[in-house]
Amino acid sequence: MRSEQVRKLFLEFFRERGHTVVPSAQIVPINDPTLLFSNAGMNQFKDILIGKNASPYNPPRATSAQKCIRVSGKHNDLEEVGRDACHHTFFEMLGNWSFGDYFKVEAIKWAWELITEIYKLPKENLWAAVHKNDDESAKIWEKEIGLPSERIVSCGDKDNFWDMADTGPCGPTTEIHFDWGEEIDPNGLPNSSKRFVEVWNIVFMQYFREKSGKLHPLPAKNVDTGLGFERLVAILQGTDDNYKTDIFRPLMDMISEISGFEYDENEDITMAFRVLADHIRAISFAIADGALPGNTGRGYVLRRILRRASRFSRILGVHDPMLYKLVTPLVDKMGDVYTELKDRVDLIARVVKSEEERFSKTLDFGLELFEKIAKRVKSTQQTTISSEDAFKLYDTYGFPLDLTSLMAEEKGLTVDLLGFDKLMSQQRKRARTATEFDITHQKKEEWLRITSGSENKSLCYESESEMAEIRCLRALSDDKIEVVLSQTPFYAESGGQVGDTGKIIGDTFELDVIDTQFEGIHIAHICKVKGNMGNLFTAIKLNPEVKVSIDHKRREGIRRNHTATHLLHKALREILGDHIHQAGSLVATNRLRFDYTHFDSPDTEQLNKIEKFVNDIVMQNLPVDITISSFDEAISQGAIALFGEKYGEKVRVVTVGDYSIELCAGTHLDYTGQIGLFVLLHEESIGSGMRRIEALTGEEAYKYFNSIKNRFQQLEQKLHSTGDDVLEKIEKMENQITELRKITDQISNKRIKNEAELLLNNATLFNDSKIIVSIIDAKNKEEIQAAMKFLENKIESGVIFLSAAFGNEKVAFMCRISGDIIDNKGLNAGDLVKLAAKITGGGGGGRPDFAQAGGKDISKINQAVNTVRKKIENIFIN
């Protein structure tokens, strides 16, 4: 039975029994910051299962084929993948759920019916595992299903009890295991022997656990099941090796074609095949759902998977990028079921190839260096790679620690991780010492209650000025306080948008609000105090009623930049691809900054298109609509949510025409035309897979263009140009400068050569050796090097010591000694330049045959050179 049919039969079986077929959730979770990747079928149903949300399905049943990534945990450590035939980073989980509807009898009966009557697995090869206290499930297996009692195994909490956390819903589980035959392990049992493969896990959520550990029956009991797709397909296709199924066959064939090896040639080759075939699935599905390799979070995990796969390609003798070539056969196999693979096939291949190329240089050198280190460790009968060696690989050559650890483990070695952590801490401390400012931290005072009543009511969307009462306040410093109001039109900094500024005006006092921040549950207005703090507190207590007003002009700038940020986000996804995701932002009154995920640097043409795209929407003067809806409804309508953010049940949806729809709590314009003008200032990389754009809008954009116009007019005047020929005249000047530099270089080279020839002709002779110790008229270090190179080629045996002064501050020394002088006279070039440098207040050194140094005191250059000359002469005379 082909894998496509296995998946289809499962979903159809439960559809016929009243279950809604729910598409797989994204592998990069939305609205669940606790997860890097979806790792179980129940993830998208979690809020229903824990009772937070009601089931939207009628009847309350669901079934799904969920794409999952697991790279950590009891059975899913990354380094385990490839060692055996069943571990994976990416896999599909087939499942069915009951939300307070059917329970144990139906769940077990249907599982058995599907396994034995639809998939036709032989009943004599099937065993069941139950929790030791779940007599109800054991009886169902024996009485209802007819499974012999000797094939029903009772297990403890470790294997057959599920919980999500220390408190909350939990319950026993029952499992169906496939028996590969007693010849593998005559006395083996499920959950303890390789003879058995767990096929299906059925969780019965029937209890609620308190902090004390006590269990209470739940009023509404749920069923959560998970069937491993790859394992089931392997059994149905008669193999205990998942990688020999039709799921992996196209990938294995392509790996064989690229490498020239076959899957079963030897243990190392087999492991490499498995790693490559498995990892490209995880990488491709993650990228298709919006993740990109990076240095933090899921980006780091993805990069770790990709680099591990890239390393294993070397085991197959492939040093050029090859992972990206596996994308096409993967898409051909799975693209009809998961269409996002087809939609993003080019993007996936480009990202993977780019990462492979980037890592290749590091990997090749790192592998060579690691082998030397490992060989040295083993030769001394040790088993641990030192923290210094691991840190050198990491810090000097960019070799990841986890890769060093994995490779060490494969050679039976370990890495001194504690020592490595200490070295990393020392490095961070050095970095902080070099950059940190002296900041005195002051513990904030307790809030002083002024009035009672409701507080922190936000009116930032409805109003810019309101009457309010001061509820509480506290001093921050001699001239700053924080104020909490009954209600406020001020926006507190969040979501990348800066806090509002403005005024708080009472009968006898006035406060300048310089910022607005969230302080716990409070909207805190940070105010500048004029005059005596005690008098202010007294005035506020006498009459806490105030008029509060935001800075209207400043808020308008913020609104322009926030709406423009949404348009920029849309433009990036339109021009660069819908893999683009927001990774951070700053929405200020005078500018905007937008951080986004992308694997490459946009070219000038793309940046121009992005800028034009935004301005086109601005000129259309489209309405900016803001609505409130449920999170699920907003997402179903196509709204963009930020990865890693946690949203409430109700969300604010900002829509711009047919172009942009995003979840956002910020302040926005009414129409796009109010932006006025959008100009993209610059774009840059801020880390691997992360980029940043800064832009201006409105008046600030106008000022920017006006300043450019003024500078261009000045340039026209300087060049005596009418504008059209400015570039032509600049290019002409550049060519003239280049020619002049060539001429000056020729003059300089001739001058240095003449001076070097003069030194050669006047060299001191000791037998067949020539000694030159001199100060030369060099303008820079390159001229000293040129003179040294000329003399080196003319002198077979001797000592050359040259010095020069640059400007009024720098002295340079350079020395070359031939090998025979080093051997016979014991002279050392490093010692000579150190001697000269010490006299002139500098330092340096080098090899015995060549060294260079610098000094600071030009007035002592003659003393330094004479001292070196005397030392050389004394050695030759004696």
Side-chain angles (χ1 to χ4, degrees):
M1 186 180 295
R2 292 185 60 79
S3 56
E4 291 85 358
Q5 188 179 4
V6 175
R7 187 190 298 109
K8 182 179 179 182
L9 285 173
F10 183 93
L11 298 176
E12 286 299 324
F13 179 88
F14 283 103
R15 187 204 301 270
E16 292 169 0
R17 285 153 184 79
H19 293 66
T20 300
V21 177
V22 181
S24 171
Q26 285 193 189
I27 211 161
V28 178
I30 293 178
N31 206 30
D32 191 347
T34 65
L35 283 175
L36 287 178
F37 299 104
S38 294
N39 60 10
M42 59 82 67
N43 289 157
Q44 64 175 316
F45 305 114
K46 185 170 70 174
D47 288 346
I48 303 173
L49 292 169
I50 64 176
K52 182 178 178 181
N53 294 337
S55 169
Y57 314 114
N58 186 22
R61 306 173 181 180
T63 185
S64 177
Q66 174 65 46
K67 46 192 179 178
C68 303
I69 288 180
R70 289 184 187 173
V71 287
S72 62
K74 182 173 67 173
H75 299 301
N76 296 92
D77 289 334
L78 178 60
E79 57 267 25
E80 291 301 315
V81 175
R83 296 182 185 276
D84 60 29
C86 59
H87 277 94
H88 302 292
T89 55
F90 173 88
F91 61 95
E92 291 181 74
M93 184 68 77
L94 307 179
N96 60 288
W97 290 266
S98 167
F99 308 114
D101 186 24
Y102 62 82
F103 202 47
K104 293 184 180 181
V105 173
E106 294 90 336
I108 292 173
K109 279 187 173 181
W110 284 339
W112 184 257
E113 180 184 354
L114 178 58
I115 286 289
T116 59
E117 296 183 21
I118 305 301
Y119 292 137
K120 299 189 182 304
L121 290 184
K123 295 179 181 180
E124 60 271 19
N125 288 78
L126 299 176
W127 290 54
V130 297
H131 188 262
K132 60 184 179 180
N133 297 328
D134 188 8
D135 295 335
E136 183 181 0
S137 292
K139 287 180 180 178
I140 294 171
W141 280 114
E142 186 175 2
K143 304 299 183 183
E144 301 284 340
I145 302 302
L147 195 64
S149 58
E150 61 269 20
R151 298 219 307 271
I152 303 170
V153 181
S154 295
C155 301
D157 289 354
K158 178 183 176 183
D159 293 311
N160 285 92
F161 195 89
W162 176 90
D163 52 26
M164 189 179 294
D166 292 337
T167 62
C170 58
T173 71
T174 185
E175 300 159 342
I176 299 175
H177 291 257
F178 184 82
D179 182 3
W180 282 109
E182 61 181 15
E183 62 274 9
I184 297 174
D185 182 1
N187 299 315
L189 292 173
N191 288 325
S192 62
S193 172
K194 291 184 178 180
R195 167 181 164 182
F196 295 91
V197 175
E198 178 191 318
V199 179
W200 206 330
N201 184 31
I202 305 171
V203 178
F204 301 118
M205 296 185 194
Q206 63 187 90
Y207 300 115
F208 186 93
R209 176 182 281 147
E210 294 182 346
K211 287 184 179 179
S212 64
K214 188 174 182 180
L215 300 178
H216 296 284
L218 287 170
K221 297 175 175 59
N222 300 320
V223 175
D224 164 25
T225 86
L227 185 154
F229 176 66
E230 288 79 7
R231 291 182 180 182
L232 176 61
V233 171
I235 294 169
L236 290 171
Q237 295 183 1
T239 177
D240 61 355
D241 187 338
N242 294 358
Y243 295 93
K244 290 185 177 180
T245 65
D246 73 315
I247 299 172
F248 288 92
R249 179 49 53 196
L251 295 172
M252 307 300 261
D253 288 344
M254 179 59 77
I255 295 168
S256 180
E257 180 181 327
I258 294 170
S259 67
F261 289 102
E262 295 297 329
Y263 174 52
D264 289 327
E265 287 198 24
N266 62 55
E267 188 175 326
D268 290 340
I269 298 298
T270 297
M271 185 172 181
F273 267 69
R274 289 171 178 168
V275 168
L276 290 164
D278 171 88
H279 287 11
I280 193 60
R281 287 171 21 113
I283 293 163
S284 298
F285 273 94
I287 293 173
D289 273 355
L292 285 175
N295 294 327
T296 59
R298 64 175 61 91
Y300 171 73
V301 174
L302 189 58
R303 173 163 287 160
R304 187 180 175 205
I305 296 171
L306 200 151
R307 288 185 167 184
R308 184 172 187 257
S310 186
R311 180 172 67 86
F312 271 90
S313 69
R314 266 65 175 176
I315 293 174
L316 300 179
V318 182
H319 290 261
D320 293 329
M322 70 165 286
L323 269 176
Y324 79 97
K325 296 178 181 178
L326 303 181
V327 175
T328 297
L330 172 65
V331 174
D332 290 344
K333 178 65 180 175
M334 304 188 74
D336 289 337
V337 178
Y338 298 107
T339 56
E340 62 272 19
L341 289 175
K342 277 188 174 181
D343 295 340
R344 296 174 176 85
V345 59
D346 291 337
L347 168 70
I348 297 167
R350 289 204 312 272
V351 172
V352 173
K353 186 178 182 183
S354 174
E355 280 290 313
E356 287 187 278
E357 291 172 340
R358 182 179 299 161
F359 188 50
S360 180
K361 294 178 182 177
T362 298
L363 187 59
D364 285 336
F365 187 82
L367 287 171
E368 181 181 342
L369 187 57
F370 175 86
E371 292 297 332
K372 291 179 181 178
I373 293 170
K375 186 177 181 180
R376 169 166 46 82
V377 171
K378 285 191 171 185
S379 69
T380 57
Q381 306 302 310
Q382 296 179 7
T383 60
T384 302
I385 292 175
S386 71
S387 58
E388 291 78 12
D389 282 332
F391 190 76
K392 182 180 180 181
L393 280 166
Y394 172 83
D395 191 47
T396 306
Y397 303 106
F399 210 60
L401 176 64
D402 58 280
L403 197 52
T404 302
S405 299
L406 289 174
M407 292 169 61
E409 184 181 346
E410 289 163 8
K411 291 184 176 293
L413 302 173
T414 60
V415 178
D416 180 5
L417 299 178
L418 289 177
F420 181 90
D421 289 340
K422 288 180 181 178
L423 292 174
M424 278 296 294
S425 296
Q426 291 171 10
Q427 185 195 57
R428 294 188 189 105
K429 186 176 181 180
R430 289 193 298 270
R432 284 197 299 270
T433 302
T435 59
E436 65 186 8
F437 295 96
D438 182 19
I439 301 174
T440 301
H441 295 278
Q442 182 178 11
K443 184 179 180 180
K444 291 184 177 180
E445 296 181 5
E446 295 297 318
W447 291 101
L448 175 64
R449 175 61 60 181
I450 304 296
T451 60
S452 299
S454 61
E455 56 194 35
N456 298 304
K457 182 180 180 181
S458 177
L459 302 171
C460 64
Y461 305 125
E462 297 93 344
S463 172
E464 293 189 354
S465 181
E466 289 288 338
M467 297 302 296
E469 283 191 344
I470 294 178
R471 290 290 187 239
C472 55
L473 52 79
R474 64 182 174 188
L476 294 177
S477 64
D478 291 340
D479 64 347
K480 288 189 183 70
I481 64 170
E482 284 182 317
V483 175
V484 174
L485 303 169
S486 58
Q487 60 181 17
T488 177
F490 283 72
Y491 182 91
E493 180 175 329
S494 62
Q497 180 174 321
V498 297
D500 278 329
T501 63
K503 299 279 188 182
I504 297 178
I505 302 174
D507 277 350
T508 58
F509 62 88
E510 179 177 312
L511 298 173
D512 288 327
V513 181
I514 59 175
D515 196 6
T516 310
Q517 296 283 336
F518 282 109
E519 284 287 345
I521 62 172
H522 295 305
I523 299 174
H525 305 74
I526 301 168
C527 304
K528 187 81 172 175
V529 175
K530 301 172 185 176
N532 183 274
M533 188 77 77
N535 293 339
L536 172 66
F537 278 31
T538 300
I540 291 174
K541 288 180 180 178
L542 287 173
N543 188 356
E545 187 172 335
V546 291
K547 182 179 181 180
V548 290
S549 303
I550 68 168
D551 183 330
H552 170 77
K553 184 176 181 181
R554 184 174 180 275
R555 168 74 80 83
E556 283 300 293
I558 293 169
R559 293 173 70 203
R560 275 195 298 270
N561 285 324
H562 207 148
T563 300
T565 297
H566 284 219
L567 301 186
L568 173 60
H569 191 185
K570 174 61 179 178
L572 287 166
R573 290 171 66 87
E574 191 73 20
I575 306 302
L576 301 182
D578 60 6
H579 63 282
I580 297 290
H581 290 288
Q582 181 175 340
S585 67
L586 171 67
V587 179
T589 185
N590 60 340
R591 65 190 177 104
L592 69 89
R593 186 182 70 214
F594 190 84
D595 299 341
Y596 65 102
T597 57
H598 191 47
F599 55 89
D600 204 0
S601 174
D603 59 32
T604 301
E605 182 181 357
Q606 289 173 320
L607 292 175
N608 288 338
K609 286 181 178 179
I610 290 165
E611 188 176 73
K612 183 178 185 301
F613 185 96
V614 175
N615 280 303
D616 284 346
I617 301 176
V618 170
M619 288 185 286
Q620 291 180 50
N621 197 27
L622 297 173
V624 180
D625 295 322
I626 297 174
T627 57
I628 306 296
S629 76
S630 71
F631 176 83
D632 290 339
E633 181 183 355
I635 296 300
S636 68
Q637 291 174 354
I640 293 177
L642 298 185
F643 291 132
E645 288 289 323
K646 181 66 177 176
Y647 296 92
E649 292 184 15
K650 295 295 182 180
V651 292
R652 197 162 175 267
V653 184
V654 179
T655 306
V656 180
D658 295 329
Y659 289 97
S660 170
I661 174 169
E662 293 193 30
L663 305 187
C664 181
T667 59
H668 287 270
L669 300 169
D670 298 318
Y671 292 90
T672 60
Q674 294 171 295
I675 292 172
L677 177 65
F678 173 88
V679 54
L680 200 156
L681 278 183
H682 63 267
E683 197 276 350
E684 62 181 349
S685 170
I686 56 171
S688 184
M690 298 281 288
R691 306 200 65 81
R692 171 173 291 171
I693 280 180
E694 292 203 22
L696 303 174
T697 63
E699 184 178 352
E700 295 299 326
Y702 169 76
K703 289 178 182 177
Y704 172 76
F705 274 122
N706 199 43
S707 68
I708 290 177
K709 183 181 72 173
N710 291 336
R711 288 197 295 270
F712 188 77
Q713 288 173 345
Q714 293 171 11
L715 189 61
E716 285 180 316
Q717 293 173 2
K718 291 281 187 183
L719 296 174
H720 303 290
S721 168
T722 58
D724 294 338
D725 60 347
V726 165
L727 286 179
E728 182 182 337
K729 288 194 172 185
I730 290 175
E731 289 173 359
K732 185 176 180 181
M733 290 174 63
E734 287 177 337
N735 292 334
Q736 290 173 342
I737 292 170
T738 300
E739 290 302 315
L740 287 172
R741 282 178 178 162
K742 288 179 181 179
I743 294 171
T744 56
D745 287 345
Q746 290 171 358
I747 294 172
S748 174
N749 291 337
K750 188 174 182 180
R751 176 175 56 79
I752 290 296
K753 182 181 178 183
N754 290 339
E755 188 167 358
E757 285 179 339
L758 186 62
L759 290 174
L760 182 64
N761 294 333
N762 293 306
T764 302
L765 288 174
F766 285 95
N767 297 325
D768 294 329
S769 300
K770 292 184 178 180
I771 310 300
I772 297 174
V773 181
S774 179
I775 300 171
I776 66 172
D777 181 22
K779 307 302 181 187
N780 50 51
K781 188 176 178 181
E782 288 72 23
E783 290 190 355
I784 301 179
Q785 291 172 335
M788 178 65 75
K789 187 174 182 180
F790 174 84
L791 293 170
E792 286 174 0
N793 293 331
K794 300 293 183 179
I795 297 175
E796 292 185 8
S797 173
V799 180
I800 308 167
F801 186 94
L802 303 179
S803 178
F806 309 144
N808 298 318
E809 298 179 355
K810 292 183 180 180
V811 179
F813 303 103
M814 194 173 293
C815 181
R816 171 72 73 181
I817 302 177
S818 60
D820 61 316
I821 301 298
I822 296 171
D823 295 337
N824 299 327
K825 299 294 183 179
L827 272 175
N828 184 301
D831 293 341
L832 293 179
V833 297
K834 285 178 184 177
L835 174 63
K838 185 177 181 181
I839 294 170
T840 56
R847 305 187 306 269
D849 64 324
F850 179 77
Q852 49 190 333
K856 301 175 183 177
D857 192 345
I858 292 178
S859 66
K860 294 183 178 180
I861 187 172
N862 288 316
Q863 178 187 341
V865 171
N866 288 333
T867 300
V868 170
R869 181 184 292 109
K870 287 179 181 178
K871 181 170 183 176
I872 296 171
E873 289 176 349
N874 287 338
I875 290 175
F876 271 88
I877 292 171
N878 295 328

